[in-house]
């Protein structure tokens, strides 16, 4: 089974994926794919480092399938996460607005 690492970026909450050079990307197509235990453990170690550095939260291993030229998650939860938020985000919260007052 092919897998990738997914998480949420702490600065804005967006879903991110571990990229080929250890960077965190927002496009599932740019995520590093691994299909071995060694690859999974290496990716999990990189995710743990980013978690410790307070860059991401909730890293998880996601099963994927490549079909029809497009990469997709195999579970509904991660399919929705890959497609983006189901609600519109505000650029700032009401509390932030009143603090600027």
């Amino acid at each position: 089974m092919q897998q990738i690492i997914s998480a949420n970026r702490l600065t804005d909450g967006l879903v991110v994926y571990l990229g080929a050079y250890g960077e965190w990307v927002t496009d599932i197509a740019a995520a590093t794919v691994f299909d071995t235990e060694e690859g999974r453990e290496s990716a999990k170690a990189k995710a743990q480092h980013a978690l410790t550095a307070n860059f991401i939260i909730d890293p998880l291993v996601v099963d994927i399938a490549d079909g029809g030229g497009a990469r997709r998650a195999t579970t509904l939860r991660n399919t929705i996460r890959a497609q983006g938020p189901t609600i519109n985000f505000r650029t700032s919260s009401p509390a932030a607005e009143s603090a600027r007052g």
Side-chain angles (χ1 to χ4, degrees):
M1 174 68 60
Q2 293 184 319
Q3 298 173 314
I4 60 176
I5 298 285
S6 174
N8 288 89
R9 188 167 49 202
L10 279 177
T11 57
D12 56 14
L14 291 179
V15 175
V16 290
Y17 304 95
L18 183 61
Y21 302 103
E23 79 283 19
W24 292 90
V25 298
T26 56
D27 184 0
I28 194 171
T32 297
V33 177
F34 50 91
D35 54 10
T36 66
E37 181 67 26
E38 182 180 274
R40 180 174 46 245
E41 292 306 313
S42 175
K44 285 168 61 176
K46 290 176 184 174
Q48 182 60 44
H49 182 266
L51 180 66
T52 302
N54 292 321
F55 186 75
I56 61 162
I57 192 165
D58 194 25
L60 59 122
V61 176
V62 176
D63 293 336
I64 60 160
D66 278 323
R71 181 177 296 163
R72 63 178 178 76
T74 60
T75 63
L76 179 59
R77 174 185 185 230
N78 287 298
T79 298
I80 292 169
R81 287 170 51 87
Q83 293 175 356
T86 57
I87 61 169
N88 290 326
F89 279 113
R90 292 184 190 194
T91 56
S92 63
S93 69
E97 290 298 320
S98 66
R100 288 186 198 139

